[in-house]
Amino acid sequence: MKYRLIALAVASAFAFGAQAATDEQKQMAYQSIERNAAEIATVSDALYYYAEPGMQEFESVKMLKEQLESIGFKVETGRAGMPTALWATWGSGKPHIAIVTEIDALPEGSQTPGSMPRKPLVSGAPGHMEGHNVHGGVSVGALNAVKQVMEKYKIPGTVSVSFGPAEEQLVSRPFLVRSGQYRDLDGAVIIHIGDNFSTGYGLQNYAAISAKFAFRGKTAHGAVNPWEGKDAVDAVELMDMGYNAIREHMRPTQRAHRTITAGGVQPNIIPDFGEIWWFVRDANAPWAKENFDKLVNIGKGAALMTGTTMDMEFVASAWPQLANKVMAEAIQKNIDAVGLPKWSEEEHKFAKDFQTSLGLKPVGLNTQPLKFGQAQQSYSSNDSGDVTWNVPTGTLDFAAGIPLVTPHNWQAAVGKTSSIAHKGEVAGAKVLAGSILDLLTDSDLLGRVKAQFREDTKGTEYVSLMPPEAKPPVDMNREMMERVRPEMRKQYLNKVPQFK
């Protein structure tokens, strides 16, 4: 009995010590992040000035590769045939936890930081008008802190980060899933800039399929011999009208939008080429595929009616993002522990002045995290959804943006190198590091995360929405960047972070 009591006392002391060590581990991570706040900001600011759109993130990836290698990570680029896909790993064995994010900019978004009037850094150049630049600093800062804690406390496991190119065009993650990049993961955390801290669970957004349809006919003079022509633009118009006619017979959840990318050269020439680019979306992947198949048949019918031929070029696809409830609860605990940054009066004033200049309500910056709960499914899409149907995944939005200023507008680029963004990056890195440490050290938590994943995906088999022959569009945005990069180089930050 005496020996049993001693054993129980030792076991109790060990259990208590493990919990205390977890608190110590997180404090060490926080201190590392605070110590490297300037480096985190420099990484994110450098990415802002690189401002590279999808598939052209060469300078951005080069800098991130150098920074991750400098803190001891093994870095691989070029997975799935995409030169700017980056995968970095440190550690060994299980569990294996990864950050999933992106760093691409948007066309025509160039903007001088801090300037409320429109003032491009380089006219016609891309820019970070969603703020993906801040993802780089948060990821590197969090991984540096987690690695230091793992080394000191001899925590087993592996940590990774996946920077996928061309998120804005829904391109890379389905290809990376198909390549097997995420196959061995035990969990993942998708991070994204927001104007507040938030996490959630359930379906986060819509499934989507994107494709271009090219019609080829025969040219003729519009007045002299139009009967000899086969009008490819007529086929484009008929496809558009056909899908509009069928909308009333589709589920009210469906969404579809298009742009005509080739519509002829001048009125008196019967066009022998026409092209239309479609995005088709719905609340789940099977419904989106069903809608897309209808669209393809409508295109075939348009070609038949006009005597033209049709070719389809797959562009991108995405499953809806599925967020894990158990992991969301763990992330929320870390949000509550860290809290939002303490904004200064000057930062609140800048935010209010900017909001007023845009005709928005001057609410300033958020001071309380969003209430935890199941997220309302958004109609938008992103390419991370495919990851979430293969790996248990949580989501983390962090406050590095200004409330009410919507992304995909040049105004959203104004504050992305400000002290508001920098404070948000530090807070976001702390929550991210704490969440990863929980997943690495708490086997019960990770077990419940996996059980939740099995329940969420029960009865739904993941099948890629991409055709088997699909290849990533690696030349996307190349011509644009060849035109503007020489002037953009003059704006580069040219400052090298030194993580400690």
Side-chain angles (χ1 to χ4, degrees):
M1 179 61 120
K2 178 179 179 182
Y3 293 117
R4 184 182 176 192
L5 288 172
I6 292 172
L8 286 171
V10 170
S12 298
F14 178 81
F16 178 79
Q19 181 61 45
T22 299
D23 293 338
E24 291 172 9
Q25 292 162 4
K26 289 186 180 181
Q27 286 302 317
M28 180 180 174
Y30 297 166
Q31 290 166 7
S32 171
I33 290 163
E34 289 169 358
R35 185 169 63 250
N36 289 286
E39 283 67 32
I40 291 169
T42 299
V43 169
S44 296
D45 290 359
L47 292 171
Y48 182 92
Y49 288 98
Y50 292 144
E52 295 170 304
M55 293 294 169
Q56 302 304 311
E57 306 99 326
F58 293 102
E59 296 286 355
S60 302
V61 165
K62 178 184 176 184
M63 186 268 290
L64 287 170
K65 182 176 185 291
E66 291 171 352
Q67 288 304 308
L68 287 161
E69 287 176 339
S70 76
I71 61 173
F73 277 69
K74 180 182 179 181
V75 182
E76 169 193 343
T77 59
R79 178 67 73 95
M82 295 177 287
T84 57
L86 185 152
W87 175 257
T89 301
W90 182 86
S92 62
K94 295 286 193 173
H96 188 173
I97 309 299
I99 302 166
V100 177
T101 192
E102 59 280 328
I103 48 165
D104 54 328
L106 283 157
E108 303 289 334
S110 180
Q111 175 65 12
T112 300
S115 173
M116 294 186 191
R118 181 70 163 120
K119 187 180 179 183
L121 284 166
V122 176
S123 181
H128 277 288
M129 53 184 179
E130 185 161 336
H132 288 175
N133 61 297
V134 304
H135 299 171
V138 170
S139 298
V140 178
L143 288 173
N144 182 57
V146 168
K147 174 180 175 285
Q148 290 174 352
V149 173
M150 292 176 72
E151 286 177 322
K152 179 174 180 180
Y153 290 93
K154 305 294 189 292
I155 297 172
T158 307
V159 286
S160 298
V161 62
S162 170
F163 288 108
E167 184 277 331
E168 296 291 1
Q169 289 80 26
L170 309 179
V171 170
S172 65
R173 248 72 71 143
F175 289 103
L176 293 170
V177 168
R178 191 172 70 178
S179 76
Q181 178 166 279
Y182 308 107
R183 186 175 296 133
D184 296 328
L185 293 182
D186 296 291
V189 181
I190 295 171
I191 66 165
H192 202 279
I193 183 174
D195 58 41
N196 204 338
F197 266 135
S198 68
T199 186
Y201 56 91
L203 291 176
Q204 306 281 290
N205 52 26
Y206 263 34
I209 305 175
S210 170
K212 294 179 180 179
F213 295 83
F215 296 89
R216 288 174 172 81
K218 181 182 177 183
T219 191
H221 194 292
V224 176
N225 60 336
W227 54 87
E228 294 183 3
K230 295 179 179 180
D231 195 322
V233 175
D234 279 351
V236 166
E237 291 181 321
L238 286 168
M239 186 181 192
D240 191 17
M241 289 187 287
Y243 196 87
N244 284 337
I246 205 173
R247 287 179 193 264
E248 71 168 311
H249 306 292
M250 302 175 78
R251 297 177 185 88
T253 51
Q254 73 85 27
R255 296 288 186 276
H257 20 277
R258 86 292 178 268
T259 185
I260 296 173
T261 50
V265 289
Q266 66 183 53
N268 62 345
I269 299 175
I270 303 297
D272 63 353
F273 180 74
E275 186 180 69
I276 185 168
W277 183 5
W278 284 89
F279 272 53
V280 173
R281 309 179 197 251
D282 215 321
N284 61 54
W287 290 359
K289 181 64 165 59
E290 178 185 316
N291 298 345
F292 183 75
D293 289 344
K294 291 177 181 178
L295 176 67
V296 172
N297 285 333
I298 290 168
K300 291 176 180 178
L304 184 64
M305 285 188 285
T306 54
T308 59
T309 61
M310 184 193 83
D311 295 312
M312 185 191 77
E313 177 192 349
F314 171 84
V315 176
S317 67
W319 276 59
Q321 191 168 287
L322 176 66
N324 187 287
K325 183 179 181 181
V326 176
M327 198 181 297
E329 291 169 344
I331 293 171
Q332 185 64 44
K333 289 180 181 178
N334 284 282
I335 289 173
D336 294 339
V338 172
L340 282 164
K342 300 295 187 289
W343 310 115
S344 68
E345 290 184 10
E346 291 77 12
E347 289 161 344
H348 273 295
K349 183 178 185 303
F350 178 84
K352 289 180 178 180
D353 289 347
F354 189 36
Q355 289 158 347
T356 299
S357 74
L358 299 176
L360 304 171
K361 185 177 179 180
V363 297
L365 300 168
N366 286 309
T367 56
Q368 294 294 327
L370 290 175
K371 185 178 179 181
F372 178 72
Q374 183 168 3
Q376 181 178 350
Q377 188 174 10
S378 159
Y379 300 117
S380 63
S381 310
N382 66 45
D383 67 351
S384 297
D386 287 62
V387 178
T388 68
W389 291 87
N390 288 273
V391 180
T393 306
T395 63
L396 170 62
D397 288 358
F398 54 93
I402 297 173
L404 306 183
V405 181
T406 57
H408 289 226
N409 295 294
W410 66 263
Q411 295 96 332
V414 169
K416 296 304 184 290
T417 64
S418 67
S419 62
I420 295 169
H422 295 162
K423 285 184 177 180
E425 291 160 19
V426 168
K430 288 181 179 180
V431 173
L432 180 58
S435 301
I436 293 172
L437 287 169
D438 284 338
L439 293 167
L440 288 169
T441 59
D442 191 337
S443 59
D444 176 67
L445 168 64
L446 195 55
R448 290 186 292 112
V449 163
K450 292 181 177 181
Q452 179 74 63
F453 177 72
R454 290 191 294 270
E455 178 65 25
D456 290 342
T457 57
K458 185 170 59 178
T460 303
E461 180 186 3
Y462 172 81
V463 178
S464 177
L465 296 173
M466 300 189 303
E469 68 277 8
K471 295 181 180 179
V474 294
D475 288 330
M476 178 182 287
N477 297 311
R478 179 177 58 81
E479 290 184 6
M480 180 215 318
M481 287 305 291
E482 287 177 348
R483 185 178 70 253
V484 299
R485 196 186 290 276
E487 287 300 311
M488 292 178 68
R489 288 186 188 279
K490 299 174 184 178
Q491 305 293 335
Y492 287 176
L493 195 60
N494 293 324
K495 185 177 179 182
V496 180
Q498 298 289 335
F499 281 87
K500 302 175 280 292

